[in-house]
Amino acid sequence: MHRHPDDYIKPELMACCGSREIKDGDIVIVGTGFPTMAANIAKYTHAPNATLMQESGVIDARPRRPALSVGDPCLNPGAAMIGGLVDIMGMFLQAGWVDVGFLSGSQVDKFGNINTTVIGDYNKPKSRLPGSGGANPIGSLAKKVLIIALHNKKRLAEHVDFITTPGYIDGPGSREKWGLPDNTGPHVIITNKAVMRFDKDTKEAYLATYHPDTSVDEIISLTPWELRVADDVHETEPPREEELKVLREILDPLRMIRIYESRGYV
Amino acid sequence: MGKVVTMKQAIASHVNDEDLVFIGGYICRTPFAAIHEIIRQKKKDLTITRSNAADDFDIMIGAGVVRRFISTFLSLGVYGLGRCYRRSIEKGIPRRIEVEEYTNLSLPMMLLAGSMGMPFVPVKDMLGTDLLNVKAFMGENKYKLIDSPFDGKPTLLVPALNPDVAIIHVQQADEDGNAQIWGIGGDCKVGANAAKKVIVSCERIVDRETIGRDPSRTIVPSFKVVAVVEEPYGAHPGYTPGFYDVDFAFGALYQKASNTVEGFNDFLKEWVFDIEDRTAYIQHYIQSFGYSRFKELQARFGYGYPVSYEY
């Protein structure tokens, strides 16, 4: 039996949810923040043989402080390999070696499509966002894509304003039609309220587990599409004592993860 | 003629208005000294490119030297969206730049193709997304979607890129331009070799014998290089592995300044236009923030493992 301390914050729970999706031996592309923390929790607990890489060119970094970007100086000393984008995105991701990719987006829709390009009309944008970066190739080519999102009707959408990164695109058969590799695509959406998974047939996200202080009804009311609920829907397992220990004592002693609370992950 | 010149000479001689310019760096080894010089010389209508652009591209866009951007991404990282980039696209300040959207797979592959003399390259991303529905100045040549002649499957082709000039910052180079890096590569090697000519900015110039002690680190051979500029701290506020760290506090300063047009223009005046060169920039930095803060940026020291190439 696992002990579950109750003094955790929501971003810590979300990082643990991400961690639990990683299997021992997985090859994982991470960015910064949540993904790095989630992947490292896995590495220090149930998946010691997972390999982490950053798109900028780094494999198996050994940072002495949390990395603030995928090009952070702390990723350099001690890594197993340092190359460049062509190595990571081409030789490993495009060639089919990457098991898990983490993505987040300003907008995520029911098929797991992600928008990081523009809010509003592309030619007359309300807000110009950064663009794809590595997100589109990761969403196109990683076997399992884990998506981090804020759970409200602005950040989740029936349809995103702009598909920067493909989820299941228009639904069943879309990825196949476009020639994206078999057995790739979104696996889960982890929000500050719930964990949603994708229906095998409809490719729509449905509610799998709800976080401890919410309810199925609240989550349905915060979701802009007609959210289906799993037959076995249940409460998300809170962070385990050993997960929090790794997070707080090894990965993030300054508790920089708190910054996500100010970004609405509460 | 020697290739070792000042940054002023390198940019004046080798970067022309309307050029397609590859600018290396990935927070790691950003050639900021060159970028400031491009702004000081008021170059016009440049097309700029690199994967994962940051404050370096934002400042060029804000300064008005850019007309077009072959892009994958632009943000200030922990400091949020690129303020100048947003103002340009959303409000046309100081001008609306044209953006051709690619990704961190397709753009490096286009540069790889360029570096290899290939006309185009197939990539497996962008399919099924709106990245295929928006085309800017490259028009129908942004990509071609074909059925593979081998297996009939839908296949995306993207064109090779051959920048007029590449500007990279490296740890060390010799006087002929053999340029060596260590640490995160980004698309620096393919971008430099795709270009018709390369300007090398470096932390230190070393002799040819030093290059030969570890030649596997060389990413650009001298015959591609037209100018070598010794520019210590040339990547600040970005970093150079083994030399100095990212200046996060300066990143915050830029974010705050670039929140408004006035703040941004004041920043440009103080840190670019009123500054003669990188030496003056470092002096101004030390005068403004004190030597101890400058000293804190310097990397701790730890040699890698020396290797033997002998037989």
Side-chain angles (χ1 to χ4, degrees):
Chain A
M1 277 302 288
H2 296 284
R3 279 171 42 85
H4 299 100
D6 59 9
D7 65 340
Y8 63 88
I9 57 172
K10 203 54 72 62
E12 291 176 323
L13 172 64
M14 293 174 69
C16 293
C17 290
S19 161
R20 294 167 194 162
E21 302 295 327
I22 293 170
K23 293 201 178 74
D24 199 21
D26 274 354
I27 297 171
V28 186
I29 288 199
V30 297
T32 51
F34 273 130
T36 318
M37 289 175 194
N40 272 304
I41 293 170
K43 210 168 152 55
Y44 278 98
T45 55
H46 64 277
N49 300 304
T51 302
L52 276 46
M53 53 175 77
Q54 277 83 9
E55 62 185 36
S56 53
V58 186
I59 298 180
D60 195 18
R62 300 290 165 88
R64 299 187 296 257
R65 67 186 193 205
L68 296 182
S69 79
V70 290
D72 195 291
C74 71
L75 300 170
N76 284 304
M81 174 175 170
I82 301 182
L85 281 158
V86 168
D87 301 302
I88 303 296
M89 302 307 263
M91 214 183 310
F92 303 121
L93 177 66
Q94 184 167 249
W97 285 89
V98 173
D99 298 299
V100 180
F102 272 95
L103 296 174
S104 59
S106 294
Q107 262 188 336
V108 179
D109 74 17
K110 63 180 177 183
F111 292 126
N113 300 307
I114 301 173
N115 175 16
T116 52
T117 301
V118 70
I119 300 295
D121 180 69
Y122 181 79
N123 293 309
K124 269 189 118 269
K126 244 197 303 195
S127 188
R128 172 67 216 204
L129 307 173
S132 161
N136 176 292
I138 291 169
S140 300
L141 298 161
K143 294 186 184 114
K144 291 202 302 201
V145 175
L146 316 182
I147 302 170
I148 306 282
L150 266 178
H151 209 128
N152 62 47
K153 286 189 170 172
K154 266 175 90 174
R155 297 307 195 95
L156 298 178
E158 175 104 29
H159 298 286
V160 289
D161 294 358
F162 186 101
I163 300 182
T164 311
T165 298
Y168 292 104
I169 312 174
D170 300 319
S174 280
R175 287 180 72 94
E176 292 79 0
K177 188 192 87 187
W178 279 100
L180 291 170
D182 293 342
N183 303 314
T184 59
H187 184 68
V188 66
I189 304 177
I190 299 166
T191 75
N192 51 323
K193 297 287 178 187
V195 174
M196 294 182 281
R197 296 184 184 278
F198 291 88
D199 185 274
K200 277 190 177 52
D201 298 319
T202 67
K203 302 297 183 189
E204 266 189 39
Y206 66 86
L207 179 61
T209 70
Y210 52 89
H211 296 341
D213 56 355
T214 61
S215 65
V216 171
D217 286 343
E218 189 200 3
I219 290 162
I220 287 174
S221 75
L222 292 171
T223 307
W225 62 86
E226 225 173 282
L227 185 67
R228 284 192 38 252
V229 178
D231 295 337
D232 64 345
V233 69
H234 56 277
E235 194 174 87
T236 311
E237 183 188 347
R240 297 173 182 174
E241 191 171 33
E242 62 269 27
E243 291 170 330
L244 286 177
K245 205 170 142 71
V246 168
L247 192 52
R248 294 173 183 177
E249 291 176 19
I250 301 170
L251 302 176
D252 185 25
L254 298 175
R255 301 202 71 195
M256 288 163 70
I257 197 167
R258 285 179 188 280
I259 198 174
Y260 288 100
E261 286 189 306
S262 64
R263 293 179 188 171
Y265 291 92
V266 289
Chain B
M1 219 190 77
K3 294 177 184 173
V4 178
V5 293
T6 63
M7 191 59 84
K8 190 171 288 185
Q9 291 167 323
I11 300 301
S13 306
H14 301 295
V15 179
N16 297 316
D17 293 346
E18 300 178 34
D19 271 356
L20 168 56
V21 189
F22 172 83
I23 294 167
Y26 202 101
I27 305 157
C28 189
R29 289 186 311 270
T30 307
F32 252 107
I35 287 162
H36 286 182
E37 189 56 38
I38 285 172
I39 295 170
R40 266 194 296 274
Q41 293 189 19
K42 298 194 162 71
K43 297 292 180 185
K44 285 191 189 71
D45 295 334
L46 300 179
T47 300
I48 54 175
T49 192
R50 180 183 81 232
S51 305
N52 269 29
D55 46 0
D56 52 345
F57 278 45
D58 196 61
I59 196 173
M60 283 193 286
I61 291 166
V65 298
V66 178
R67 178 180 174 202
R68 292 169 164 174
F69 175 27
I70 303 176
S71 97
T72 73
F73 184 88
L74 192 159
S75 103
L76 305 183
V78 289
Y79 299 114
L81 301 170
R83 302 334 197 237
C84 295
Y85 186 43
R86 284 193 66 179
R87 271 195 295 274
S88 167
I89 302 291
E90 295 167 19
K91 300 191 175 124
I93 301 171
R95 68 189 294 186
R96 196 176 308 275
I97 63 163
E98 302 164 49
V99 181
E100 204 69 86
E101 314 254 0
Y102 289 100
T103 75
N104 285 2
L105 171 64
S106 52
L107 181 61
M109 294 298 283
M110 290 157 70
L111 293 165
L112 177 72
S115 74
M116 298 274 174
M118 306 191 297
F120 53 79
V121 61
V123 290
K124 287 189 185 170
D125 67 344
M126 302 208 293
L127 294 159
T129 70
D130 285 319
L131 296 178
L132 297 187
N133 295 329
V134 291
K135 295 172 184 167
F137 49 94
M138 290 170 71
E140 294 305 306
N141 288 331
K142 180 181 177 183
Y143 65 86
K144 301 286 177 186
L145 190 56
I146 64 159
D147 296 331
S148 165
F150 291 96
D151 61 12
K153 285 185 182 160
T155 300
L156 188 71
L157 306 177
V158 286
L161 276 187
N162 289 106
D164 295 302
V165 57
I167 305 171
I168 60 172
H169 186 72
V170 304
Q171 275 96 339
Q172 60 187 27
D174 67 18
E175 293 187 341
D176 283 333
N178 292 303
Q180 300 196 318
I181 69 162
W182 45 97
I184 288 171
D187 51 9
C188 195
K189 182 177 177 178
V190 288
N193 286 289
K196 294 163 193 158
K197 59 188 178 191
V198 181
I199 296 172
V200 171
S201 157
C202 61
E203 289 295 321
R204 62 183 179 215
I205 290 180
V206 296
D207 56 22
R208 172 64 182 77
E209 193 193 332
T210 303
I211 297 290
R213 284 177 172 271
D214 202 352
S216 296
R217 294 196 200 283
T218 307
I219 59 159
V220 189
S222 62
F223 60 81
K224 296 217 63 169
V225 176
V226 292
V228 179
V229 184
E230 191 174 49
E231 204 73 295
Y233 296 96
H236 180 273
Y239 78 103
T240 300
F243 286 79
Y244 45 92
D245 199 351
V246 172
D247 192 342
F248 289 107
F250 200 87
L253 181 84
Y254 177 74
Q255 178 222 37
K256 202 160 169 255
S258 61
N259 273 334
T260 63
V261 174
E262 298 72 27
F264 176 75
N265 288 335
D266 289 347
F267 180 93
L268 270 191
K269 183 172 172 352
E270 179 178 355
W271 292 99
V272 182
F273 288 122
D274 285 356
I275 296 281
E276 172 78 11
D277 56 17
R278 186 96 317 204
T279 306
Y281 173 92
I282 297 301
Q283 281 167 355
H284 183 61
Y285 185 93
I286 292 169
Q287 276 158 11
S288 303
F289 305 116
Y291 184 72
S292 65
R293 187 169 137 188
F294 176 66
K295 184 88 179 144
E296 264 170 41
L297 294 174
Q298 288 174 31
R300 71 160 91 175
F301 194 70
Y303 268 130
Y305 188 75
V307 294
S308 172
Y309 285 79
E310 290 304 323
Y311 49 88

